[in-house]
Amino acid sequence: MASTAFFYFDFKDESKKNTRGELSSLLVQLAAQSDPYSEILSALYSEHDAGSMQPSDNALKMSLKSMLAVPDQAPIYIVVDALDECPNSTKTPTPREKVLSLVEWLVESRCSNLWVSVTSRTEADIEATLQPLASHNISLHTETGQKEDITNYIKWFVKSDPKARKWRKQDKELVIERLSERADGM
């Protein structure tokens, strides 16, 4: 049976803004789905004084590498969502650069049973790193259906929100029109 691990970057949650959060989450999710993966995570825990010492990012990465190298395992699907929400700060390297490096490392590991999917809004640094790695690229940004869904949601909200229901008809129409055109596919 295939293993699947998801990580959603969230600018509001400190633990979901960096490589450490991503690696930790992926390891725990994979360990919950396979006994050999669980043994690898248990070994990491033991090596770090039963969890009293924090493993380095590299130790987390090496544990993931060990999981990917387990022989005769079913496919592993890793989904990285909202990568654009990972900060692109002034630090060097930025948290986003570290995450992009991890994605590069995963893809370049050439594990035959590993499938990686990344979602993000279009941003130059992300596109520059991922474009050469991608076997498939799908953009929903300019899709008519995407824009339609956004407009339908805005209409629904304006019609169902108790405060918005009290607005004048022309104000509702203006809000729907402006938000729809400025949503820009997001």
Side-chain angles (χ1 to χ4, degrees), residues 60 106 182:
L60 295 172
L106 283 168
R182 291 190 179 171

Side-chain angles (χ1 to χ4, degrees), residues 5-40:
F6 298 89
F7 188 77
Y8 174 75
F9 285 94
D10 183 351
F11 70 93
K12 297 177 200 167
D13 185 341
E14 282 302 315
S15 69
K16 294 183 176 184
K17 287 184 175 182
N18 55 46
T19 308
R20 181 173 201 75
E22 179 184 17
L23 282 167
S24 299
S25 178
L26 296 176
L27 288 170
V28 168
Q29 290 177 65
L30 291 172
Q33 298 174 59
S34 160
D35 289 340
Y37 300 161
S38 181
E39 290 168 13
I40 291 167

Side-chain angles (χ1 to χ4, degrees), residues 52-63:
S52 65
M53 294 179 354
Q54 290 291 315
S56 67
D57 287 0
N58 195 53
L60 295 172
K61 188 175 168 182
M62 290 304 102
S63 292

